[in-house]
């Protein structure tokens, strides 16, 4: 008897793609930036040409993994920003959410943001340098939207929201990268320090009258 796909239910191709991404995630958790197409294909129980058929090339697979993890991170950051708490607490919670995410899965973070260092391997890791900057730009634009929708920045507010959005993401990325590598302080201490740095004008800016508030 033939089965009918229900509306909203993923098709066979979409399910297979998700299974392959889950296999890739397992390899990334194990190998970090050194994850290769060969290892991912072996983990999925398929040949490398079949993996290429689904994603085109290494860059295609990297982009699919990046979207998967960036979407999850953005959902967590939005939840922290929209939590019922006073503004400074939400800023702290948002910074902590980002740092907790990279701390919980450091190999995934390194895969997304750092190239493989082993240049002698038969198949080098993904060419991360071509793709990590767009990830940070996407995070910056998404944060700019949140700021612009919630905070009254006066004339030129949309431009300033983008300045703040990209500046905050750059700060989180640079500080988080340093902290993850050296662990010079507790996560809570880093969150407090970064919040103090940001607080300035953000503490005094009013909420937009037509926005959800912040």
């Amino acid at each position: 008897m033939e089965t009918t796909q229900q509306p909203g239910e993923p098709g066979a191709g979409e399910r297979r793609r998700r299974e392959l991404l889950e296999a890739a995630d397992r390899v990334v958790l194990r190998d970090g930036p050194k994850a290769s197409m060969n290892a991912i294909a072996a983990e999925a129980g398929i040949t490398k040409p079949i993996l290429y058929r689904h994603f085109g090339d290494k860059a295609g697979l990297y982009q699919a993994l990046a979207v998967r993890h960036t979407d999850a991170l953005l959902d967590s950051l939005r939840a922290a920003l929209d939590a019922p708490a006073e503004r400074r607490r939400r800023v702290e919670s948002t910074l902590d959410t980002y740092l907790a995410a990279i701390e919980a899965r450091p190999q995934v973070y390194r895969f997304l943001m750092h190239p493989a260092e082993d240049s002698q391997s038969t198949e080098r890791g993904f060419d991360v340098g071509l793709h990590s900057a767009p990830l940070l730009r996407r995070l910056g634009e998404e944060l700019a939207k949140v700021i612009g929708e919630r905070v009254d920045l006066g004339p030129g507010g949309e431009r300033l929201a983008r300045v703040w959005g990209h500046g905050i993401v750059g700060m989180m990325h640079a500080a988080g990268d340093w902290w993850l590598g050296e662990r010079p302080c507790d996560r809570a201490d880093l969150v407090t320090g970064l919040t103090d740095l940001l607080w300035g004008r953000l503490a005094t800016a009013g909420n937009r009258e037509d926005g959800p508030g912040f």
Side-chain angles (χ1 to χ4, degrees):
M1 180 177 178
E2 184 177 345
T3 59
T4 303
Q5 182 180 334
Q6 297 299 313
E9 192 177 277
E14 186 178 341
R15 286 195 302 272
R16 185 56 172 153
R17 181 181 174 89
R18 185 177 60 208
E19 290 168 357
L20 294 176
L21 287 173
E22 289 169 354
D25 265 343
R26 293 192 294 272
V27 174
V28 169
L29 283 170
R30 185 184 72 225
D31 298 342
K34 295 182 181 180
S36 68
M37 293 292 274
N38 283 329
I40 291 169
E43 177 69 25
I46 59 175
T47 63
K48 194 161 66 168
I50 293 176
L51 192 59
Y52 279 123
R53 192 182 308 154
H54 282 273
F55 296 100
D57 55 14
K58 287 194 293 186
L61 178 57
Y62 175 92
Q63 184 176 19
L65 285 168
V67 168
R68 177 184 174 94
H69 288 286
T70 304
D71 284 350
L73 177 59
L74 283 169
D75 286 344
S76 297
L77 293 175
R78 289 190 191 102
L81 284 164
D82 289 334
E86 57 91 18
R87 186 181 291 181
R88 182 180 171 102
R89 178 64 194 128
R90 278 185 280 169
V91 172
E92 290 174 337
S93 179
T94 302
L95 292 169
D96 189 62
T97 295
Y98 174 82
L99 293 170
I102 67 173
E103 182 180 34
R105 306 187 82 187
Q107 288 288 63
V108 173
Y109 169 77
R110 292 184 180 107
F111 170 80
L112 292 175
M113 294 297 175
H114 290 277
E117 297 176 354
D118 181 9
S119 61
Q120 302 303 313
S121 62
T122 56
E123 181 184 339
R124 294 192 65 191
F126 293 77
D127 193 357
V128 174
L130 294 176
H131 308 286
S132 57
L135 293 186
L136 294 173
R137 283 199 296 271
R138 183 185 174 204
L139 287 172
E141 288 295 329
E142 291 292 335
L143 185 55
K145 287 180 187 176
V146 170
I147 294 169
E149 289 169 354
R150 289 162 174 75
V151 183
D152 183 1
L153 298 176
E158 182 179 350
R159 174 186 54 78
L160 185 55
R162 294 186 73 196
V163 170
W164 283 16
H166 289 281
I168 292 169
V169 166
M171 181 193 73
M172 287 196 306
H173 170 61
D177 196 80
W178 162 73
W179 173 76
L180 193 63
E182 296 188 15
R183 296 302 179 100
C185 60
D186 290 339
R187 196 173 82 215
D189 291 335
L190 181 58
V191 167
T192 299
L194 293 178
T195 303
D196 287 343
L197 180 61
L198 285 173
W199 197 230
R201 184 173 169 186
L202 187 55
T204 60
N207 287 332
R208 285 182 56 125
E209 292 183 1
D210 59 346
F214 179 41

